[in-house]
Amino acid sequence: MITILYPYRNREIKRIQRSMDSLAQQKVQNFKVVFVDYGSEDAIAAEAKALVGKYDFTSYTYLYSKNQPWNKCKALNYAIKKLDDGYCFVADVDMIFHPEFTSVLEQCSNPDTVTYFQVGFLSENDTKKDGSFESYPINFKTNEEATGMTLFPVSYLKKINGFDEFFHFWGAEDTDVHNRMKNAGCKVNYYDEKLLMLHQWHPNYRQRETKTLNKELQMSGIVEINHQHLLHNQKSGITQVNEKGWGHIMDKTEWEELQDFPATLLSNEKKLINYFLYQQLPNSKDQILAVEIKENPIQKELKYLLKKKLGKKVPQFYSLKKINDKILRHIVSFYHTKPYSYQVSEDLKSIIFKIKL
């Protein structure tokens, strides 16, 4: 039995259906699917749960991480820790599988080998069509540098403490886990004998990234930070990661506790934000810190603007986008193992950050 893992958040339902339908059409039904919803919005989560429930080979799990940045590694690790030894394949709701895909997975299963697969990408227009695997024209194919779709021996993944949960948002986690599997003594093979997967088009993280504050959680420079972490692990010969534990997600009780906890208003004045980040946050213990950060209206008043233009001493302020990036960098670097909630308001005029220390 091979376990196929789907990490998921807030993607359109039709995309999931195409992927699940392709698994239902496999010639060899030697698998089960674990569908891990990493904090989708309530309405989308309900739709996703209802859809995957129609496939008898699939189980659905919802994780209470809705108000946290996307972290594929944590979603996967949550499921990996619960697996018996055997094999797992890291999938993606964008994938449409060839009918012989799972039979090839069985052939590639080896207790000392990782196998990752070539993927064919569809165009935006062709992604909107329904058809057989062979009917889709291929826009382009990946090469051995694309490391995402991988079959793992579960025992080796557990030996290295799973995926590195430092990696947030997008980038580098798949290559990193391959490197560390090699360090643990596992071989890594690339399969391109036959195209077995098609990738449904969508805009990637870099294309969605904005220079201004966004309701979708984003952090400027995260791709570069992830790449530096990949290089660090590689140069240092790192095998095991996640020293503070892995595969842990806050539960519903912790999530509700944070949602109900009242937030204190905090101005975007630089000295106040810096004090919060560099004194209050690292020195607080056994409590919940909760702040709602809003722009101080004084910074748009004519009197303030005139003083600033004349070079007089006036309070200095960070933009909410700058504050967003600063807080998220602290979370990623120091606090992502703690129960926390981070939200940008619908009107983009405030940031609400709560953390249980």
Side-chain angles (χ1 to χ4, degrees):
M1 181 67 69
I2 296 167
T3 304
I4 300 176
L5 304 177
Y6 276 81
Y8 170 80
R9 178 189 275 180
N10 288 336
R11 305 297 294 281
E12 60 267 39
I13 300 302
K14 184 64 177 177
R15 186 175 297 267
I16 308 172
Q17 184 179 347
R18 291 192 190 100
S19 190
M20 291 293 166
D21 283 348
S22 71
L23 288 180
Q25 295 161 13
Q26 293 299 301
K27 293 179 180 179
V28 178
Q29 294 287 314
N30 57 348
F31 62 92
K32 63 179 180 179
V33 169
V34 175
F35 193 94
V36 184
D37 190 329
Y38 194 73
S40 292
E41 297 297 329
D42 293 348
I44 297 175
E47 280 191 87
K49 183 178 181 180
L51 174 66
V52 301
K54 296 177 181 178
Y55 301 87
D56 58 8
F57 50 76
T58 303
S59 65
Y60 173 93
T61 300
Y62 183 85
L63 302 183
Y64 286 88
S65 48
K66 179 167 64 173
N67 298 329
Q68 296 181 0
W70 167 248
N71 191 312
K72 174 183 170 183
C73 300
K74 288 193 176 188
L76 290 171
N77 284 350
Y78 179 86
I80 291 166
K81 283 195 79 169
K82 298 178 183 299
L83 295 179
D84 296 326
D85 287 349
Y87 301 92
C88 66
F89 177 80
V90 174
D92 189 314
V93 294
D94 299 314
M95 294 301 142
I96 299 172
F97 298 100
H98 188 282
E100 296 176 1
F101 170 66
T102 59
S103 62
V104 174
L105 282 188
E106 190 171 286
Q107 295 165 22
C108 292
S109 297
N110 184 304
D112 298 307
T113 303
V114 166
T115 302
Y116 68 109
F117 294 80
Q118 185 178 56
V119 175
F121 275 68
L122 304 181
S123 69
E124 183 176 2
N125 287 335
D126 288 325
T127 291
K128 299 173 184 176
K129 303 172 184 176
D130 291 322
S132 65
F133 187 96
E134 293 80 4
S135 68
Y136 286 104
I138 309 302
N139 196 21
F140 66 92
K141 297 178 182 179
T142 59
N143 58 28
E144 64 275 7
E145 293 181 2
T147 53
M149 299 297 103
T150 305
L151 176 69
F152 293 97
V154 173
S155 61
Y156 267 96
L157 275 176
K158 289 183 176 181
K159 187 184 296 185
I160 66 171
N161 291 351
F163 285 75
D164 190 334
E165 296 178 5
F166 174 86
F167 294 107
H168 285 67
F169 296 95
W170 180 85
E173 70 278 348
D174 299 310
T175 301
D176 174 76
V177 77
H178 282 199
N179 290 341
R180 293 186 295 105
M181 292 290 272
K182 292 177 187 176
N183 293 342
C186 199
K187 297 177 182 178
V188 177
N189 287 339
Y190 174 59
Y191 182 97
D192 62 352
E193 296 173 25
K194 184 175 183 178
L195 188 65
L196 297 171
M197 276 171 275
L198 302 176
H199 186 286
Q200 302 174 70
W201 180 92
H202 62 82
N204 63 35
Y205 179 79
R206 297 306 294 263
Q207 291 170 326
R208 299 196 312 273
E209 198 171 6
T210 61
K211 293 183 179 180
T212 56
L213 193 65
N214 197 310
K215 183 68 175 69
E216 177 192 5
L217 298 186
Q218 297 180 354
M219 177 183 138
S220 300
I222 187 59
V223 175
E224 291 76 15
I225 291 172
N226 283 345
H227 183 66
Q228 284 303 121
H229 189 61
L230 167 68
L231 293 177
H232 166 77
N233 283 357
Q234 186 174 11
K235 290 177 181 178
S236 303
I238 299 293
T239 300
Q240 284 190 326
V241 291
N242 306 320
E243 294 180 359
K244 295 181 179 180
W246 61 287
H248 175 74
I249 306 292
M250 68 175 171
D251 59 27
K252 185 178 181 181
T253 300
E254 291 173 313
W255 186 83
E256 289 177 342
E257 182 183 21
L258 287 175
Q259 301 315 300
D260 294 339
F261 197 89
T264 301
L265 189 62
L266 181 64
S267 164
N268 64 323
E269 192 172 350
K270 285 185 178 182
K271 66 180 183 182
L272 298 179
I273 297 298
N274 289 338
Y275 186 78
F276 173 75
L277 289 176
Y278 297 106
Q279 203 288 327
Q280 284 182 275
L281 195 52
N283 291 298
S284 296
K285 295 180 181 179
D286 303 319
Q287 64 175 295
I288 293 176
L289 281 185
V291 293
E292 180 173 10
I293 304 168
K294 291 186 175 183
E295 290 185 344
N296 190 326
I298 192 177
Q299 68 188 100
K300 295 182 179 179
E301 293 178 359
L302 181 59
K303 184 178 180 180
Y304 172 86
L305 295 172
L306 286 173
K307 283 186 175 182
K308 186 177 179 180
K309 189 174 182 179
L310 292 171
K312 294 185 177 182
K313 188 176 181 179
V314 293
Q316 299 296 309
F317 298 97
Y318 287 125
S319 69
L320 288 184
K321 170 60 175 171
K322 186 74 171 179
I323 294 169
N324 170 85
D325 291 345
K326 280 180 170 289
I327 294 178
L328 287 176
R329 284 193 196 102
H330 277 72
I331 290 172
V332 167
S333 301
F334 310 116
Y335 302 106
H336 69 84
T337 61
K338 304 289 186 181
Y340 75 91
S341 173
Y342 184 89
Q343 294 173 273
V344 176
S345 65
E346 292 288 344
D347 61 8
L348 307 181
K349 292 184 177 180
S350 72
I351 293 168
I352 303 173
F353 174 46
K354 302 179 181 181
I355 185 167
K356 187 175 183 179
L357 297 160

